[in-house]
């Protein structure tokens, strides 16, 4: 079971200029073979299928716990894509019937972002090909699963670096800067687990690809906070034995690896404004708000929503419009 | 972000007679179009992509919170499949090289359970076809997404009923008995949300398919505990506005719908025994145990694993053997 | 546009012993690369995309008209599959909750026939792989499209012969006996069209595969009626120029090719009995019948249904039961 | 069986400026999960697989009859795509070898429209992903199938509205204007069927998405003719019991629902000019015309083709050229 | 370019008892994600896409040369599957029309082996799912591609071990015995390449899975001949720089790694007998033989075929029959 | 088995202006249904699965030998794509972290060329859809397989002509000019084989599509050398009986068909320069060169690489830069 927290693992910028072409590219980090859906589901299924857990508890805890962090990563990728798509259609008066989507027709976009979805993230890659369960590797053999995971994180790191190079949109850069640091932690974790289990020394494979994370400006703030050597424990009480694997020096910096007993503080989501041209959340969003407010009252809830967002008072709509005009 | 809890939502029985053919069928509830991967990912993406959250908070909270429960459902399906696969190959002395898998060759199984995976669950359906991101519907339009979700739960209910009819293995029955009750809650929740939003009355569509959950013996214990009218809140602090939608009478029984402020107590997993014929977790599992024990000591962990399982002391291996001989 | 006729192109036998394994095989003729979905959709799209129709009217009419016949062929394949699946679960008292599907678990079936569909045909092949739009070839180049169509019919003929050899169920034999004769007509038609267009003589390729249709006992009645040399015109008024291609001697028998100005007389469908274990059409089918009868009365319809079936009075239910007991 | 009529359900405009990017978008209405291939094949298979037809005849007739109309819808989508693609390559002197397709290389097109097909419609969606049989839902359970169909029509309506917004090409607008009205009829029909069967009132879900069809200018002429409340019967003699479901007031306008005993009058296709750069129908189309004319004579056919088109005398070629120059 | 040699890399046994169920399982080694199609195509594309070849020639040569060997491995897998399928239908008098395939209907087979193919190998896995180009990883980054290749060989080794355990048919055992040894060479080669490039020591990962190849009886003859430490050079003149990577001690045995300047001697194929029930190579194979003999004479070829087979004089047909009766 | 030769079948030009959009289009010739992966794998599997080889040796030899040539064709397509992609990112100082890929974001490219691959060819088509094993047809029936092969080559010819029209990049033109001539040979070969086997005369179908290869300027040099009537024998000693099929007059020119006893001389590959922005072969390619040079020395290899390339001395890097600046 999981408990869900309505916060992102790291702060993302508010929407600014829309970048639907960039959003298409960022989808590779969501639904590509090496995207976050893949890291999430690979480790999740491996943890489900782990036999002899008590006998190999530190390794089970490691995989299960990293799986938990990956959920937060698909969330971050989605938030970045949604931010980049915001404003790609008119934000307030862009109601059908009109040609509110026509300017997108000739662009290099994922057409499903507009024709099928509601300007939101999809479990697809940069080609528009759906993520598939055949991307999951769960052989049961622990050494082999860990070898896979190390390789998967390596491929994921490559993908993040390239999306970084293709997309300079602030949301994409904030995303990749963070994911590179956190994915690097997982890459080290699996290498370390293999070493603990077999004695094989993969230290010299780092960094792979051979550009140090420390060279990426957007990674700096996270490195300065030590996130590159910190494994969070994403559980109220469980997965405590990760300390038996995540210890010793970092292969690149030599600093001590440390376990943080809980998730990062993170940051609230921006409440992204409606995009009525695609009926998200409605052709006439204000009607839903009225109904919701009535229901809230009937249920005895306070006037202001109980959920926290980065932009209380919903001033974002105006900001996006300002930006666009 | 999520916090992961190392417990199942409901107690499943320990492994008994293996049933790999049944495990193939149960995969429909995992990776089929109407399986739990689909409910999980549909609601997860809808929650990620929800615009105007503050204006429609009760609906956002509802979808986001049900998404959180669905994670526990893919976990349960996996646990049931793994239980059914346990013992399908020799549990202790079945080490390659030998013909430990030959008796399965002529059976109606999912060959990937043995040739590709490690006698564990896979994100595939009963045909062996992988789950695909194209099963996710996230139109952004709230009424439409809710309509979809109601339909999805209806299809899911049908699938659970049929797997129930095909598989009498205790793990499959415990699984479907529980999922029918919990899926029924979600079916009602989406119908109720649509009613709150539009006034449409879907009450008379229940039950769909037209067999009452109360007729299923394995559902009885859960109904008696009121699980058919309880929406759990799967979060430390968030998603509190679900109470604005989940209220009023249950469409079939007339009882009050209630919100439980936290997850179910659940039950620990069984620590399923190794299946060395498929190298899960190894050709020589005892070697991993020794290494793990050494690592645990070096990290200052106590002798006994900190993780809880349903069968401490790992007596399961013997039980399965007894059963099989 | 089309007008639909509620009759099958040829008479199929009533359900007898169920044969779900055979139904799995027959799916190849539905959703396989060379199945009837493929012939239907290839010719349909080619007719839609035909440029310069007036300048090449006989060829357009030929392709468009054969496309129309293929609709009747997917219908026949579906009817045969449904017939073979009838009785595979209890026909009257097999209502859930019970283990009404358990005897199928270990069988070599398409699990979707029972877990996903309602014991009915699906657009899948014998592996359970879905038919895909990538099977459609519509190059626009007339010579090339006709070359493709000749090849497609050749592959289709091979598939029919092999399904014939694998399935001796009366419905499968009636189906393949008829389709072999009618597919043979289409194979000749495309060869003839190529000859008319280029002068190339494909006559000596017949029969391909090199077993004459006349050797198949189930084809005999149709050959005797001349169906192997008859092209039906499936339209009230259109596609009259097929006579400009479909003429001359049959390449195998030398008999004159003839055009029939209308569809075959065909035969009504059997009204297949409910299969309540899969809720088809309901868990309690009699309730639907009552509602339908009421609606019919309210609409001023007569007591007996206006639609014709092969088994008026619905005596089939009893027959199937007798057969099974 | 079907009889095919060589007319479109509604008049489409002749080709004007080519719009290959728009044609890519319109493909969503053909091969997308909610496109017309899906509505056609879902209802077709549900009608094939309908058990207890006599007992539930009004519902069988409804589904079977709507399936028949959908065939005309894939035809219309194809005609619109083909119209939009006409002129995208030179219409008369654009013969290979040259670089007649080079101007398309950098455009946001479906490359298969030019490299694989002959500037014609394909069973693919706006991403170029093929339609798949896994889009078909045929559970056998009548209430569930109707619930699906209502949802499917809702998704289809959303898609049509968005394609409308993206594509202002006259053919796309004529297409979506008509399909919105007719799809609306089917949406109402399935809601009504559910109501008749269960008593559930879905009336208040309309319109979904929540923009009224009456706001779309291109829908007006059809609404004025009453097409939004008319169910055509697409059969010479069958499916007469649709009157038992399709009756009562329209949920949005309150007008009476009426059944028309036959198909719409419709309109002939334009005979679209050759596109020799993609060899459609040939590198040298005039050669095919000569051969066809000879064959026609030999068969005793009159000089003028028997098939009717919207542009007799084939003056379209010149028109397209004028437009382009 | 390649030159093809009409010999297998190793001797396989002649057909004996047919084992179509086993053939289904062996398909995993052909078209599975870790099958020989994958190793072939991964290394082939990596060699095609290798930039800066002169600067990294030893690594280019290594990958290109192993790619060449993999062609011989898909050939071996095909030969084994074909051997196992031989005799699954009557070998001489099993001509249609009859029910020559009916005994297979209820078996756990790949239906395409009989309904679509001609009792021959297909690029599919054990589920019948086709091999896909998305299995190819060619990142361009040399360290990453080598990491992938090491992982791929590890997964492949696991698959071979499990197929070994499932299939005791002599052809399957001869196949897996050989492939385990040769795949082991490739696994070492990529580990060694990584070590040369980065210094990382993967030696202690061996063997992975953790059962030594030397424990497999069918591997013994090949190990005794030194095949586990031999890299063949599959080229008349090229890829000579493999010696710069393939040197030093074997990680498991400590013996010297050696390069053989040419392919293995190998062995001829068996000329597998016709299977007329599936028309392979024809319904009446003797007719083809007559035609071929005539063509051979006309071309001045000798009476006996120039091609070498393991069973000259075609005595195999009788053998298979004897075995079967 | 194969021996691999490190030369291309024909000379391609060096990289010049990059054309990533064109590279996307050329992928159709690699991974499309009618691309070279398809011709390679169809003939390869047909040769593997050929039964009664000795009895039909000329036909076996023909298919097996053409399969061997096709390997060289996927190699050529890859080389052309790689050439067109060279320079699409900075060739020397374009190292991450920067926005080296941003100019590509809005272009109509295959995003996997940059985000997933290393500016190299992929087994995908022009849509980015992966090649699939379901494109392989290997029915076992010789007449049918040959009919398929003739059709496949016809579709392939169409594709090459259209890619020719879309891409005027020198590499694309050199590629298509050569492939049209060689594919034409295979088209004739299969037609001829069918004629020899059945007597059917397909001569008049040529050329198909109906534009003569002789009209393509880039085909002229190859026609002048007689490549349109030459079948190479791609084997040291085998497949000699192709002479029994490949003889007589060419259907279009009447010239004698001739067999060349060996592969074409071909030409060396260009050693394409690194693309460090995508880490191909590394972020810092010079480091790999240093390591390789050291390994070469240790192995006693000479200073200059033993492999031959079209640009010894690696002057290409400068050339590309000159071209780009």
């Amino acid at each position: 079971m999981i408990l869900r927290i309505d916060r992102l693992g790291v702060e993302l910028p508010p929407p600014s200029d829309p970048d639907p072409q960039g959003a298409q590219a960022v989808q590779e980090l969501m639904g590509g073979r090496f995207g976050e859906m893949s890291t999430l589901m690979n480790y999740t299924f491996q943890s489900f299928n782990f036999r002899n857990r008590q006998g190999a508890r530190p390794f089970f805890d490691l995989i299960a716990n990293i799986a938990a962090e990956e959920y937060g990563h698909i969330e971050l990728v989605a938030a970045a894509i949604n931010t980049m798509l915001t404003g790609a259609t008119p934000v307030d008066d862009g109601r059908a019937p009109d040609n509110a989507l026509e300017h997108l027709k000739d662009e290099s976009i994922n057409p499903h972002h507009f024709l099928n979805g509601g300007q939101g993230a999809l479990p697809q890659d940069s080609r528009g090909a759906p993520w598939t369960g055949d991307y999951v590797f769960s052989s049961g053999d622990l050494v082999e699963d860990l070898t896979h995971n190390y390789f998967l994180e390596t491929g994921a790191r490559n993908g993040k670096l390239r999306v970084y190079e293709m997309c300079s949109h602030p949301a994409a850069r904030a995303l990749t800067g963070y994911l590179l640091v956190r994915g690097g932690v997982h890459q080290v974790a699996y290498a370390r687990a293999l070493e603990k289990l077999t004695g094989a020394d993969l230290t010299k494979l780092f960094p792979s690809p051979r550009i140090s994370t420390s060279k990426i400006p957007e990674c700096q703030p996270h490195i300065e906070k030590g996130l590159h050597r910190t494994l969070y424990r994403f559980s109220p009480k469980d997965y405590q034995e990760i300390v038996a694997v995540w210890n010793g020096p970092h292969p690149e910096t030599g600093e001590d690896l440390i376990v943080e007993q809980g998730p990062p503080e993170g940051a609230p989501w921006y409440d992204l404004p409606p995009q009525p041209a695609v009926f998200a959340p409605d052709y006439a969003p204000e009607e839903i708000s009225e109904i919701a407010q009535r229901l809230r009252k009937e249920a005895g809830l306070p006037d202001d929503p109980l959920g926290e967002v980065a932009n209380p008072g919903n001033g974002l709509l105006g900001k996006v419009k300002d930006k666009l005009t």
Side-chain angles (χ1 to χ4, degrees), chain A:
Chain A
M1 288 187 285
I2 61 169
L3 300 179
R4 193 169 170 186
I5 300 170
D6 193 14
R7 293 176 74 84
L8 291 170
V10 76
E11 192 181 338
L12 290 186
S16 49
D17 287 337
D19 184 4
Q21 297 92 342
Q24 182 191 27
V26 177
Q27 284 284 163
E28 190 70 24
L29 303 186
M30 177 62 90
R33 177 171 161 193
F34 298 93
E36 302 297 323
M37 283 283 289
S38 280
T39 49
L40 168 62
M41 282 300 159
N42 269 282
Y43 311 151
T44 298
F45 273 84
Q46 287 173 16
S47 66
F48 288 166
N49 297 340
F50 206 106
R51 290 176 175 277
N52 189 28
R53 293 180 184 191
Q54 292 299 65
R57 177 59 65 174
F59 299 101
F60 169 73
D61 279 8
L62 185 80
I63 293 171
N65 185 65
I66 294 180
E69 175 162 6
E70 301 294 0
Y71 187 96
H73 290 186
I74 66 166
E75 191 178 27
L76 275 168
V77 178
I81 290 170
N82 294 351
T83 303
M84 296 165 83
L85 290 171
T86 296
T89 61
V91 283
D92 60 348
D93 49 4
R95 296 184 187 178
D98 64 8
N99 57 353
L101 305 180
E102 185 143 36
H103 61 294
L104 295 160
K105 195 190 61 176
D106 301 349
E107 297 301 315
S108 177
I109 57 168
N110 180 329
H112 272 199
H113 279 160
F114 298 93
L115 296 180
N116 201 278
Q119 288 180 227
L122 296 168
Q124 301 182 358
D125 70 10
S126 60
R127 298 173 296 179
W131 186 84
T132 155
D134 278 351
Y135 289 157
V136 168
F137 182 81
S138 174
S139 74
D141 182 274
L142 182 55
V143 172
E144 194 176 344
D145 282 356
L146 291 169
T147 303
H148 165 269
N149 296 354
Y150 174 77
F151 162 64
L152 181 64
E153 290 289 348
T154 302
R157 189 169 188 273
N158 196 337
K160 292 164 195 168
L161 286 166
R162 294 180 184 194
V163 167
Y164 177 96
E165 292 181 86
M166 191 174 274
C167 301
S168 62
H169 189 282
R173 285 286 167 98
L175 174 76
T176 48
Y178 183 75
L179 289 184
L180 279 163
V181 172
R182 297 305 306 158
V185 165
H186 300 167
Q187 205 179 12
V188 171
Y190 290 123
R192 182 59 38 105
L194 274 174
E195 185 186 357
K196 300 271 190 189
L197 205 50
T198 69
D201 180 8
L202 281 66
T203 304
K204 292 187 180 157
L205 287 173
F206 286 85
S208 177
R210 286 191 118 47
I211 169 175
S212 172
T213 302
S214 65
K215 289 199 180 173
I216 314 287
E218 287 82 353
C219 297
Q220 289 307 331
H222 308 304
I223 292 172
E224 280 159 24
K225 289 180 194 154
L227 266 64
H228 62 300
R229 60 192 184 99
T230 302
L231 193 63
Y232 297 104
R233 194 166 59 74
F234 282 90
S235 179
K237 297 191 307 186
D238 304 310
Y239 315 118
Q240 298 187 43
E241 299 205 0
I242 53 177
V243 294
V245 178
W246 187 254
N247 56 41
H250 188 281
E252 287 177 275
T253 69
E255 299 162 289
D256 272 355
L257 303 177
I258 57 175
V259 167
E260 173 101 8
Q261 301 292 345
E265 188 194 353
W269 283 69
Y270 279 91
D271 185 9
L272 298 177
Q275 297 278 185
V278 295
F279 321 125
D282 193 9
Y283 172 70
E286 62 280 7
E287 292 179 8
I288 289 181
S289 298
E290 280 169 36
I291 294 164
Q293 198 58 8
R294 182 170 47 73
L295 294 177
R296 300 178 71 261
K297 274 195 188 156
E298 291 170 9
L301 294 171
D303 279 0
D304 285 335
L306 293 174
E308 186 193 6
V309 295
N311 52 338
N314 205 11
L316 202 56
L317 186 67
K319 269 198 211 168
V320 176
K321 274 199 295 184
D322 291 351
K323 191 81 187 183
L324 293 172
T325 56

